[in-house]
Amino acid sequence: MPHEPQPQPADELDAEAVRTWSSLALAALGRAREDIDAINVYPVADADTGTNLYLTAESADRALAEAFDSAAHAAGTPEPTSLSEAVRAWAHGALVGARGNSGTILAQLLRGVADVLGAEHEGRRPGPGGLLAHALTRAAEEAYAAVAHPVEGTMLTVAGAAARAGEAASAAAGTAADVARAAYDGARAALADTPGQLAVLGRAGVVDAGGCGLVAVLGALWQTLSGQEPAAEPLAGAGRTAPPPPRPADPCEQGEDGPAYEVIYLLEASEAAVAELRRTLDGLGDSLVVVGGDGLWNVHVHVDDPGAAVEAGVVAGRPYRIRITHFGDERRRGRAERAQRAVVAVVPGEGLAGLCTEAGATTVLVRPGEVPATAELLDAVRRAHAREVVLLPGGAELRAAAAAAAEQARAEGVRTAVIPTRSAVQGLAALAVHDPDGSFDEDVVAMTAAAGATRYGELAVAERQSFTSAGICQAGDVLGLIDGDVAVIGAGLAETAEAVLDRMLGSGGELVTLVLGPEVPDGVAERLEAYVQSGHLAVDTVTYHGGRYSAPLLIGVE
């Protein structure tokens, strides 16, 4: 249930005030998102700074809400979360959900705030608002340190100005609300000066997009502590000196400066390994930002060789949630007319992702055990760039996130339907009957019917002894699941798959779909195809390779 922000005047931030700050900041970024996207010209004019800041703040807000819910459940009392728990959860949520250059910097700013407000030993600086001023200063320092080559006239400049103004207010014995107001005013003044500091902004006649987002976040802080709403102003237009010049017909073909790809991933690694990674990535590209600590990092870089950037992460530790974006694709998508209809599919495997992409879907790739957040699904809907979107979540555990993403997409003017697919094979069946030229309602009905008519099975390997609906299994046993429940316990993959097929085909079927995991030999597919043919002459079989991250075997029967 979303937190309803109720800003009240306060001398210092407490856990509830942090929660309100987060909610107000998310709302402010949501209102300003499109305006900020529209003026995004640095470091890459890909029109997504506002969206990246919003998605980062949404991830942070969700993690903070979960911390409150977990603490309340454990204690049996409403919201007993401490300030330290709140700010650390908030910063961690931003770290794992950070998007783009601006979102990554925002995550580090929140980490700096958490380092001060979440540490007992930091103590209080002179003046009633001293601790908050110290937190803003630490945030700016850590953000500058995270960027390989800081540039003035950017979000960093705005953060530094806000910190200096906050320290001055604290030195004058200002309250926390006074510090917040000074930081907000200092940030606004610095934002207005950015076109004169960065030539690309001056030529375009706009202020820094990331700085706009930070002003919104600081305005939310002041509102939290003062109870007063910041004066309505067109944040994205503040400081604008002239209308942006017309863009070339196709800057992608005219050779815009800078690397072609943006690479982002989370990384589990030591500080020593990350120091070496920074040096490696700095030699590969630009816009390098590495944020985090305590073994978990968010890596962002622009490169021409995305494979080398990912390989450097593999050398340093364990990279995951890898996201590679080609700037040319993003620029063309931003200028292109919206398609009428698109499909977004969540898939557990690189091979399946490629298969769905070939079928025209926008895909969200998930690793085993991962559940994509609402923000990730919403981002995929936006990337689909269509007036109508059909969302295939591919798992019962994703139903709530998919529904929330669809609701937000509808609020943004995209007609969105969620088909309750519970397996990737149901998604494949739905895609097979997708008709982008038919009416939206008829298409959704046909896809829903195809998914619902597909029984799904899966083979997995038991990790430990446990009780199942088919009896007790031991570690290493092969489990055959039908419609989500364990139906067969076997010793070998092929034998267990045959037993599962017998049960699934017992009630009839016309088509069997097999999706093989990366370690399953081709001989197994041939054996299963022959097994189906021998017992069910009228049943066809199709086989796909799920690729990395897919289950050992997925089975669909239509």
Side-chain angles (χ1 to χ4, degrees):
M1 188 174 177
H3 175 61
E4 294 295 334
Q6 296 179 336
Q8 298 291 335
D11 290 332
E12 288 288 357
L13 281 171
D14 58 14
E16 183 59 33
V18 169
R19 192 177 188 190
T20 298
W21 180 13
S22 175
S23 297
L24 291 172
L26 180 61
L29 288 171
R31 291 191 298 271
R33 180 180 64 81
E34 292 186 358
D35 284 343
I36 294 174
D37 282 344
I39 63 163
N40 172 203
V41 297
Y42 181 85
V44 177
D46 49 355
D48 66 356
T49 290
T51 297
N52 286 335
L53 286 167
Y54 177 82
L55 292 174
T56 303
E58 184 182 50
S59 177
D61 189 68
R62 183 173 58 253
L64 180 56
E66 290 172 356
F68 270 78
D69 291 343
S70 296
H73 178 74
T77 58
E79 303 178 349
T81 310
S82 69
L83 174 61
S84 177
E85 292 170 332
V87 292
R88 292 192 183 283
W90 195 28
H92 180 77
L95 174 67
V96 299
R99 298 300 185 94
N101 187 282
S102 56
T104 308
I105 293 173
L106 176 61
Q108 192 70 350
L109 288 166
L110 295 187
R111 178 180 174 85
V113 169
D115 283 348
V116 173
L117 299 183
E120 299 293 336
H121 67 272
E122 286 290 349
R124 178 188 291 272
R125 286 286 186 91
L131 190 61
L132 177 58
H134 183 24
L136 294 174
T137 297
R138 177 72 67 83
E141 291 171 349
E142 292 197 8
Y144 267 95
V147 178
H149 302 285
V151 174
E152 295 304 327
T154 64
M155 189 176 181
L156 295 176
T157 306
V158 175
R164 290 189 295 273
E167 291 283 10
S170 172
T175 65
D178 293 333
V179 168
R181 178 56 192 260
Y184 175 52
D185 288 343
R188 293 169 68 201
L191 177 66
D193 289 340
T194 55
Q197 295 173 293
L198 196 55
V200 66
L201 300 179
R203 288 195 299 270
V206 296
V207 295
D208 179 65
C212 275
L214 182 55
V215 166
V217 172
L218 291 171
L221 171 62
W222 177 63
Q223 183 179 1
T224 298
L225 293 175
S226 69
Q228 301 178 52
E229 186 173 353
E233 59 176 319
L235 285 177
R240 183 174 293 186
T241 58
R247 293 184 182 275
D250 191 347
C252 304
E253 295 177 0
Q254 294 186 20
E256 289 191 349
D257 294 335
Y261 295 90
E262 176 186 61
V263 178
I264 304 174
Y265 50 80
L266 290 178
L267 177 69
E268 294 177 357
S270 67
E271 289 196 18
V274 168
E276 181 60 32
L277 174 66
R278 288 178 188 269
R279 288 189 286 271
T280 301
L281 294 180
D282 197 23
L284 289 175
D286 59 28
S287 297
L288 173 60
V289 186
V290 181
V291 303
D294 302 321
L296 180 63
W297 311 82
N298 192 304
V299 179
H300 169 280
V301 67
H302 295 173
V303 293
D304 282 321
D305 186 349
V310 175
E311 288 172 9
V314 173
V315 172
R318 187 179 81 88
Y320 60 103
R321 292 194 187 177
I322 301 166
R323 179 182 173 88
I324 299 173
T325 303
H326 188 273
F327 288 125
D329 293 342
E330 291 299 299
R331 294 186 189 108
R332 291 188 180 97
R333 184 179 292 115
R335 292 190 308 278
E337 191 70 27
R338 280 184 179 271
Q340 181 60 34
R341 187 174 313 144
V343 176
V344 171
V346 181
V347 289
E350 291 179 344
L352 280 175
L355 184 67
C356 291
T357 300
E358 289 177 5
T362 297
T363 60
V364 177
L365 175 63
V366 294
R367 295 162 56 100
E370 284 188 352
V371 177
T374 299
E376 194 166 358
L377 299 182
L378 179 59
D379 183 39
V381 171
R382 289 167 175 158
R383 285 190 286 116
H385 203 65
R387 298 183 182 90
E388 302 168 340
V389 171
V390 180
L391 180 55
L392 307 175
E397 70 280 6
L398 293 178
R399 193 167 299 170
E407 182 178 359
Q408 177 61 37
R410 294 184 194 110
E412 296 177 6
V414 179
R415 189 178 185 187
T416 310
V418 179
I419 294 179
T421 53
R422 294 170 290 173
S423 170
V425 290
Q426 290 188 321
L428 292 176
L431 266 175
V433 300
H434 170 51
D435 180 11
D437 297 322
S439 77
F440 183 74
D441 290 336
E442 290 176 352
D443 195 23
V444 170
V445 169
M447 295 176 74
T448 301
T454 303
R455 300 191 68 196
Y456 62 96
E458 177 179 345
L459 266 62
V461 178
E463 296 181 354
R464 64 184 69 86
Q465 184 188 64
S466 61
F467 292 94
T468 75
S469 53
I472 300 176
C473 71
Q474 306 296 327
D477 284 346
V478 178
L479 306 180
L481 291 82
I482 298 177
D483 295 339
D485 294 323
V486 177
V488 179
I489 299 175
L493 185 75
E495 296 84 351
T496 306
E498 288 173 351
V500 169
L501 284 167
D502 276 341
R503 298 200 181 194
M504 295 181 71
L505 289 169
S507 56
E510 300 176 354
L511 175 67
V512 170
T513 300
L514 303 175
V515 181
L516 277 64
E519 298 179 1
V520 177
D522 291 337
V524 170
E526 295 173 359
R527 173 175 169 173
L528 295 179
E529 289 174 3
Y531 185 79
V532 171
Q533 183 66 23
S534 65
H536 306 273
L537 294 177
V539 177
D540 293 326
T541 304
V542 294
T543 302
Y544 302 111
H545 291 277
R548 188 169 56 161
Y549 306 137
S550 69
L553 181 65
L554 296 177
I555 301 173
V557 174
E558 303 175 46

